[in-house]
Amino acid sequence: MELQRTIMTIAGSDSSGGAGIQADLRTFAALGHYGTSVITALTAQNTTGVQGVHGVPPSFLEQQIHSVLDDLDVHAIKTGMLFDAENTRATVRALKKYYSGRAMPPLVCDPVCVSTSGHSLLAPEALENCSYLARFLQFKTCLMLPGDLLRCGPRGVLVKGGHMTATIADVDSLARAHPEICIMRDGLYGDDMEILSVNTPEPTSLVIDVLCEADGPTTLFVRPRIDSTSTHGTGCTLSAALACALADGASVSEAATAAAAFTHLGIRTATKLGAGHGPLNHLHSVTQRLVPPRTPTNPYPLTQLLIKGSAGIWREYVEHPFVQRLGEGTLPKDSFVRFITQDYHYLKYYARAYGQVPSFFSSTSTDVCCSLLAAKSDTFPAIASATQTILNVLREISMHRAFCAEFGVSAAELEQTREAAATSAYGGYLIDVGMQGDTTKLLVALLACLLGYGEVGLWLKRAFGSAAGPERSRRNVVLEGHPYRRWIEDYSGKEYQYAVRAGLETIEACAAADPPSAARLAEWRAVWERCTRLEKALWDMALEVQD
Amino acid sequence: MELQRTIMTIAGSDSSGGAGIQADLRTFAALGHYGTSVITALTAQNTTGVQGVHGVPPSFLEQQIHSVLDDLDVHAIKTGMLFDAENTRATVRALKKYYSGRAMPPLVCDPVCVSTSGHSLLAPEALENCSYLARFLQFKTCLMLPGDLLRCGPRGVLVKGGHMTATIADVDSLARAHPEICIMRDGLYGDDMEILSVNTPEPTSLVIDVLCEADGPTTLFVRPRIDSTSTHGTGCTLSAALACALADGASVSEAATAAAAFTHLGIRTATKLGAGHGPLNHLHSVTQRLVPPRTPTNPYPLTQLLIKGSAGIWREYVEHPFVQRLGEGTLPKDSFVRFITQDYHYLKYYARAYGQVPSFFSSTSTDVCCSLLAAKSDTFPAIASATQTILNVLREISMHRAFCAEFGVSAAELEQTREAAATSAYGGYLIDVGMQGDTTKLLVALLACLLGYGEVGLWLKRAFGSAAGPERSRRNVVLEGHPYRRWIEDYSGKEYQYAVRAGLETIEACAAADPPSAARLAEWRAVWERCTRLEKALWDMALEVQD
């Protein structure tokens, strides 16, 4: 996830992490934004209560605001607990100083007075300074109060309804009495979604947040009440999520809708923590990214994961005794012929499976790979590379025919050789994956063969060739007189290696454009491991002729 | 993402958010852990430097530690900037007091002395107190220094090498001279991955972190140096990631490997922020979760997203004039017959597409849906529900035959009716999706039909039936004498509605077990919207007979 916008919170610190700047920063991160935090006061608190408060000197509070604003481009600001009248004034002073003569980004004020655990977090004189908040709001107050607040100048006032309870009947009668009020039923289905509501229990108790806009209607956000103790930092989370949506350019009403839904899910998905009112789960909106991003020095992160995940089998495959003996030139001719004839049959399946990659070159807009190919400016090289892979299979087949002729097996004999069980098992599996899954899954299945032969080619050339020429480097390795010289040179050669790169590029681009969930990655790993085993089994089979 | 473990950081606050507890908390969140934070000092800083520091009184620092530990079960602790000797002693005192007589979780000490911007963050007397850190470390110092530190008692000492540079030749010669040193090359490929290294540029400059373990070898973590100014908070991030891995139960060496890789990617994926040394991108390890989690009051979040995403077309489909007239009983008989005969043909495709859901009931362990069905204890009801959906198609077909007979169309005529273009277009699309994508994509394609007819059935029964019986509720609606009564009762009836629920359950379970990436969700949305349009087109076609 790349961080989108910078947001500044001016609030208290909660040592237990559930509220204050800690809840704000977690909310910003969960919604993809970068958080900066100006601390007004420290609290020593936990889920059972507030054990101590340490105010920050007003001048240092101002200094923090200047440090942030002097360097970073802030797209939204939220204020939480301002602690006392002096710090409230210091905040106003610093913001006024910075924004005099320039546009201020959206500002969300959360007038934190009392913690969820009941602790007063605003000094009495500050409360007077704000002079408007009743400690326990009643339903009617919520509808009347915002009007008074709106006169202070904000674009909107959102009154959180967590401390009140209403029923669907209350909402329906309110809607009848006040047709001008807009009612948003989140998690309650509209009249074109009756089919979804049939099997969903109707909530008996509702929470209603009230939004009044200076230039808009009054909106009620109605949602099912959750019976939970994980409500520590609900207000902080709501106002932080509001700031995120406003930074994204949402309207006040859109922001309230998004923020209320985010907070609701935070309470709903929380697991109990601590002995009292525990924190929300802010991270319900993200999942782990399992394949790391591609970087210049690690351009093949998925392939690395796959290889490392089955390192033992991969090594048994690419450093198989068959390969070792082939390199040494001690592999019996019979084993090689058996391998080549079976590989010839295998390549039929392989080419057919490649043909199955269904809309790899088509213009179907819904195909991921294809969308990627079409959307990126460098798509033609990608298409060309993929084509090269298919052509490579045909080239391999002609090489196999030549080998067989060289070793006294005619084209007719080659065609008529009965398939070994190892060949049928592997070939059938490729076709099955092609029928069953999507493009990426099939590409993973095709990768073990493509990559493994590339690795084997490079290794054999380096290990069993001898450096020649004035430079005696890896590039000048020759295999003079080696009985399997052509086979090694083919798989270590330019054309095959180019096809490998094209295949790697395609699959890594797919994984980067469509990052897999844990379930999907597990599926790919299983496919990769199975194909690696099936590759090893092909060489076991070829050696068994002899051993 | 559900939060796994609780971790406590004891460190300074960085107003600009890139280092200190802010970097720690972001790291904990990015790695799936819940962070608590004890603040030792506040800094007013940004990417260009530190403008001010405000120390927290030692007694209040201790109070914060007690508030956290008295309530929450902490699985790892890290200390960062401790500010001065007094606060260092207060930290030790508070931890000793709490953990005397009980096991202490893993503790990571990051002896922060100097910020990336060059500001000394530890008072001189505290530096003496720690008495061991040179301001600029040389390569040899890194190898010798940890030995001295190990004598203080930790399980391991990790010396960060960000301020030194080495080449591959340096590392190779070191490896030859000290075969006992373990060398981990992250982002540099092993000898069984030559195929990946061929096309990756060899880094000219390396960063080396050195780990010495009390009961283990010395390990060098070698990775390519990144030329970047996004290094503000690198040390905080590394030590926070170490704490996460140790909380997860990793060994010291595993933790160092994971933490170094996490930090490296944080620098690599960062976008420049601020005028000086900007922050890392800690969130490279997560992606947005686009389908919200299922909750008791919103059990169908994917389906809601799909419907809301194409709200206009969905409404045109389920409230189509054809449906309206059918409900009113004013639909011409010809239109109804045309619809029923075409729907009969469509249902052949539909049943065939259902048959394509490839390993829906098979035992292939790699199939997501199937894994889900097999892994959950309540799998038999899910299998039964899916079977019911298939049986429902067969029941629908027999209903269509009965309707046709009633309206004077024989079974042979029904079978021989030529397919309309709208029918072929829709049916062909279902088969195409079945060939092309995976199970979930096909289930999305099948959902528009399943769900829409359920919605239409419920709506028609409610809108055009009349309540009867003593209770006059929705449940007692009757359609006495309605010409299309049986059609409405079938789609609003128990069996069909049960099949709808089974279909919803299956697709929502798939999406929850395998959360889609943005690309995959976009694909599902496109499939859903296309099917909704194709459904509408079927009814357009039926009405055109008349209009």
Side-chain angles (χ1 to χ4, degrees):
Chain A
M1 200 155 82
E2 273 184 31
L3 295 165
Q4 290 144 26
R5 302 272 182 173
T6 299
I7 303 179
M8 176 168 71
T9 171
I10 304 171
S13 159
D14 170 359
S15 56
S16 75
I21 62 142
Q22 285 81 2
D24 294 341
L25 293 174
R26 208 177 285 118
T27 301
F28 299 157
L31 291 169
H33 294 288
Y34 180 72
T36 63
S37 44
V38 168
I39 296 180
T40 59
L42 303 178
T43 68
Q45 68 172 294
N46 56 34
T47 69
T48 65
V50 178
Q51 288 84 37
V53 181
H54 168 80
V56 170
S59 60
F60 194 77
L61 167 54
E62 279 185 77
Q63 178 62 67
Q64 292 177 77
I65 295 178
H66 289 303
S67 288
V68 173
L69 294 180
D70 284 347
D71 184 38
L72 297 168
D73 192 12
V74 167
H75 295 88
I77 301 171
K78 78 149 266 191
T79 62
M81 171 180 130
L82 295 176
F83 181 57
D84 63 8
E86 249 189 300
N87 275 356
T88 306
R89 276 193 293 267
T91 303
V92 172
R93 203 160 48 231
L95 292 179
K96 269 194 173 162
K97 190 172 161 193
Y98 189 81
Y99 288 110
S100 77
R102 63 180 118 180
M104 189 165 175
L107 171 68
V108 178
C109 293
D110 176 13
V112 179
C113 304
V114 178
S115 73
T116 301
S117 53
H119 193 98
S120 179
L121 293 171
L122 203 61
E125 71 275 16
L127 195 57
E128 278 167 36
N129 203 321
C130 295
S131 82
Y132 46 68
L133 275 160
R135 185 154 169 168
F136 293 105
L137 300 167
Q138 297 303 314
F139 190 56
K140 281 195 181 155
T141 326
C142 284
L143 285 171
M144 290 160 59
L145 184 78
D148 295 335
L149 284 174
L150 274 181
R151 267 172 239 126
C152 302
R155 279 161 60 200
V157 173
L158 179 66
V159 179
K160 195 161 70 80
H163 295 287
M164 310 173 302
T165 296
T167 64
I168 288 185
D170 290 341
V171 174
D172 287 345
S173 78
L174 192 82
R176 273 192 301 274
H178 295 277
E180 77 284 3
I181 291 180
C182 181
I183 297 181
M184 306 282 285
R185 295 163 198 255
D186 190 61
L188 306 165
Y189 300 103
D191 64 352
D192 60 346
M193 286 194 233
E194 195 174 337
I195 194 73
L196 300 186
S197 66
V198 168
N199 300 305
T200 310
E202 193 163 276
T204 51
S205 176
L206 302 174
V207 171
I208 303 175
D209 297 334
V210 180
L211 172 69
C212 292
E213 290 182 79
D215 308 315
T218 294
T219 308
L220 303 192
F221 296 93
V222 180
R223 72 183 53 78
R225 169 174 289 281
I226 306 165
D227 186 23
S228 169
T229 58
S230 300
T231 54
H232 181 82
T234 310
C236 305
T237 304
L238 182 71
S239 51
L242 269 173
C244 289
L246 293 171
D248 279 336
S251 71
V252 170
S253 159
E254 288 164 350
T257 308
F262 179 83
T263 308
H264 175 84
L265 280 173
I267 300 171
R268 176 65 85 184
T269 62
T271 31
K272 186 163 172 52
L273 213 63
H277 287 273
L280 282 64
N281 171 25
H282 297 93
L283 301 184
H284 63 79
S285 61
V286 297
T287 55
Q288 286 287 346
R289 180 185 174 127
L290 298 160
V291 179
R294 302 180 74 185
T295 66
T297 51
N298 185 15
Y300 311 123
L302 170 63
T303 310
Q304 255 216 76
L305 266 191
L306 294 175
I307 294 180
K308 283 188 178 168
S310 62
I313 307 157
W314 170 256
R315 209 174 261 273
E316 283 177 37
Y317 159 36
V318 295
E319 298 178 5
H320 196 277
F322 178 95
V323 179
Q324 184 83 28
R325 292 202 208 168
L326 190 152
E328 290 162 354
T330 60
L331 184 72
K333 194 188 120 183
D334 280 0
S335 287
F336 188 74
V337 169
R338 180 157 161 85
F339 164 66
I340 283 290
T341 51
Q342 290 301 322
D343 196 40
Y344 178 84
H345 287 295
Y346 164 76
L347 284 172
K348 265 192 218 159
Y349 288 108
Y350 189 83
R352 282 173 58 208
Y354 231 96
Q356 272 185 339
V357 179
S359 52
F360 202 66
F361 304 103
S362 91
S363 61
T364 311
S365 64
T366 53
D367 184 83
V368 175
C369 277
C370 191
S371 306
L372 186 80
L373 290 175
K376 289 179 77 173
S377 59
D378 56 345
T379 55
F380 280 115
I383 291 174
S385 301
T387 312
Q388 187 60 37
T389 308
I390 296 179
L391 291 176
N392 193 66
V393 175
L394 299 174
R395 206 177 50 76
E396 268 182 275
I397 288 167
S398 73
M399 178 179 85
H400 284 45
R401 285 210 189 90
F403 265 120
C404 285
E406 195 181 313
F407 287 94
V409 180
S410 74
E413 280 172 297
L414 177 61
E415 202 66 56
Q416 281 155 28
T417 315
R418 189 179 295 166
E419 258 182 45
T423 311
S424 304
Y426 193 179
Y429 181 65
L430 288 185
I431 301 297
D432 185 33
V433 170
M435 297 296 285
Q436 187 191 61
D438 62 3
T439 310
T440 319
K441 189 171 167 180
L442 180 52
L443 287 171
V444 170
L446 294 165
L447 188 67
C449 172
L450 182 67
L451 211 63
Y453 279 65
E455 180 73 22
V456 164
L458 291 180
W459 176 55
L460 291 185
K461 189 168 176 193
R462 178 164 49 78
F464 299 101
S466 52
E471 264 190 78
R472 300 185 72 80
S473 74
R474 278 191 190 181
R475 289 183 176 277
N476 296 316
V477 166
V478 292
L479 292 154
E480 276 299 331
H482 194 290
Y484 303 115
R485 171 182 175 172
R486 195 172 154 206
W487 194 91
I488 298 172
E489 284 184 341
D490 255 76
Y491 289 110
S492 61
K494 246 189 192 171
E495 282 180 75
Y496 191 85
Q497 293 291 328
Y498 186 81
V500 171
R501 193 167 61 205
L504 281 172
E505 196 54 40
T506 305
I507 200 156
E508 294 289 345
C510 281
D514 177 16
S517 67
R520 223 147 87 95
L521 183 60
E523 207 182 327
W524 293 353
R525 281 182 186 277
V527 170
W528 166 266
E529 187 177 320
R530 183 153 169 182
C531 287
T532 309
R533 279 188 199 285
L534 287 164
E535 282 290 350
K536 176 182 171 288
L538 276 188
W539 277 332
D540 287 343
M541 173 268 298
L543 268 194
E544 273 158 24
V545 173
Q546 190 58 29
D547 295 351
Chain B
M1 200 156 81
E2 273 185 31
L3 296 165
Q4 290 145 25
R5 301 272 181 173
T6 299
I7 302 180
M8 176 169 70
T9 171
I10 304 171
S13 160
D14 170 358
S15 56
S16 74
I21 63 142
Q22 285 81 1
D24 295 340
L25 293 173
R26 208 177 284 118
T27 301
F28 300 158
L31 291 169
H33 294 288
Y34 180 73
T36 63
S37 44
V38 168
I39 296 180
T40 58
L42 302 179
T43 68
Q45 69 172 293
N46 56 36
T47 70
T48 66
V50 178
Q51 288 83 37
V53 182
H54 168 79
V56 169
S59 62
F60 193 77
L61 167 53
E62 279 185 78
Q63 178 64 65
Q64 291 177 77
I65 294 179
H66 288 304
S67 288
V68 173
L69 294 180
D70 283 347
D71 185 38
L72 297 169
D73 192 13
V74 167
H75 295 89
I77 301 172
K78 78 148 265 191
T79 62
M81 171 181 129
L82 294 176
F83 182 57
D84 62 9
E86 249 190 302
N87 274 358
T88 306
R89 277 192 292 267
T91 302
V92 173
R93 202 161 47 231
L95 292 179
K96 270 195 173 164
K97 189 173 162 192
Y98 189 80
Y99 287 109
S100 75
R102 64 180 117 181
M104 189 166 174
L107 171 68
V108 179
C109 292
D110 177 13
V112 179
C113 305
V114 178
S115 74
T116 301
S117 55
H119 192 98
S120 179
L121 292 172
L122 203 60
E125 69 276 16
L127 196 56
E128 279 167 36
N129 203 322
C130 296
S131 81
Y132 47 68
L133 275 161
R135 186 153 169 170
F136 292 105
L137 300 168
Q138 297 304 314
F139 190 56
K140 282 195 182 156
T141 326
C142 284
L143 284 171
M144 291 161 58
L145 182 79
D148 295 335
L149 284 174
L150 273 181
R151 268 173 237 126
C152 302
R155 278 163 61 200
V157 172
L158 178 67
V159 179
K160 195 161 70 80
H163 295 289
M164 310 172 303
T165 295
T167 64
I168 286 185
D170 292 339
V171 174
D172 287 345
S173 77
L174 193 81
R176 273 193 301 275
H178 295 277
E180 77 283 5
I181 291 180
C182 179
I183 298 182
M184 306 282 286
R185 295 162 196 256
D186 191 61
L188 305 165
Y189 300 102
D191 65 351
D192 60 346
M193 285 193 234
E194 194 174 339
I195 193 73
L196 300 186
S197 66
V198 168
N199 300 304
T200 311
E202 193 163 276
T204 51
S205 176
L206 302 174
V207 171
I208 302 175
D209 298 333
V210 180
L211 172 69
C212 292
E213 290 182 78
D215 307 315
T218 294
T219 309
L220 303 191
F221 296 93
V222 180
R223 73 183 53 78
R225 170 174 289 281
I226 306 165
D227 187 22
S228 169
T229 58
S230 300
T231 54
H232 181 81
T234 308
C236 304
T237 303
L238 182 71
S239 51
L242 269 174
C244 289
L246 293 171
D248 278 337
S251 71
V252 170
S253 159
E254 288 164 352
T257 309
F262 179 83
T263 307
H264 175 85
L265 280 173
I267 300 170
R268 177 65 84 183
T269 62
T271 31
K272 187 164 170 53
L273 213 64
H277 286 273
L280 283 64
N281 171 26
H282 297 93
L283 300 184
H284 63 78
S285 62
V286 297
T287 55
Q288 287 288 347
R289 180 186 175 126
L290 298 159
V291 179
R294 302 180 74 185
T295 65
T297 50
N298 185 15
Y300 311 124
L302 170 63
T303 310
Q304 254 215 78
L305 267 191
L306 294 174
I307 294 179
K308 283 188 177 167
S310 62
I313 307 157
W314 170 256
R315 210 173 262 273
E316 283 177 37
Y317 160 34
V318 296
E319 297 177 7
H320 196 277
F322 178 94
V323 178
Q324 184 82 27
R325 292 204 208 167
L326 189 151
E328 290 163 353
T330 59
L331 183 73
K333 193 187 118 183
D334 280 0
S335 288
F336 187 74
V337 168
R338 180 158 163 84
F339 163 67
I340 283 290
T341 52
Q342 290 301 322
D343 197 39
Y344 178 85
H345 287 295
Y346 164 76
L347 283 172
K348 265 190 217 162
Y349 289 107
Y350 188 83
R352 282 173 57 208
Y354 230 96
Q356 273 184 337
V357 178
S359 52
F360 201 67
F361 304 104
S362 91
S363 61
T364 311
S365 64
T366 53
D367 185 82
V368 175
C369 278
C370 191
S371 306
L372 187 79
L373 289 175
K376 290 179 77 174
S377 59
D378 55 347
T379 54
F380 280 117
I383 292 173
S385 299
T387 312
Q388 186 60 37
T389 308
I390 296 179
L391 291 176
N392 192 65
V393 176
L394 300 174
R395 205 177 49 76
E396 267 182 277
I397 289 167
S398 73
M399 179 179 83
H400 283 46
R401 286 210 189 89
F403 264 119
C404 285
E406 194 181 313
F407 286 95
V409 180
S410 74
E413 280 172 297
L414 177 61
E415 204 65 57
Q416 281 155 28
T417 314
R418 189 178 296 167
E419 259 182 45
T423 311
S424 304
Y426 193 0
Y429 181 65
L430 288 184
I431 300 297
D432 185 33
V433 170
M435 297 296 284
Q436 188 191 60
D438 62 2
T439 310
T440 319
K441 189 170 168 181
L442 179 53
L443 287 171
V444 170
L446 294 165
L447 188 66
C449 172
L450 182 67
L451 210 63
Y453 280 64
E455 181 74 22
V456 164
L458 291 179
W459 176 56
L460 290 185
K461 189 168 176 195
R462 179 167 47 79
F464 298 101
S466 52
E471 264 189 79
R472 301 185 72 81
S473 75
R474 279 191 189 182
R475 289 184 177 276
N476 296 316
V477 166
V478 293
L479 291 155
E480 275 299 329
H482 193 291
Y484 303 116
R485 172 183 174 171
R486 195 175 152 202
W487 194 91
I488 298 172
E489 285 184 340
D490 255 75
Y491 288 110
S492 60
K494 247 190 191 169
E495 283 180 74
Y496 191 85
Q497 292 292 328
Y498 185 81
V500 171
R501 193 167 60 206
L504 282 172
E505 195 54 41
T506 304
I507 201 156
E508 294 289 347
C510 281
D514 177 17
S517 68
R520 223 147 86 95
L521 182 60
E523 206 182 329
W524 294 353
R525 281 182 187 277
V527 170
W528 165 266
E529 187 177 319
R530 183 151 170 184
C531 287
T532 309
R533 279 188 200 284
L534 287 163
E535 281 289 351
K536 176 184 171 289
L538 276 189
W539 277 332
D540 287 344
M541 173 269 297
L543 268 193
E544 272 159 23
V545 174
Q546 189 59 29
D547 294 353

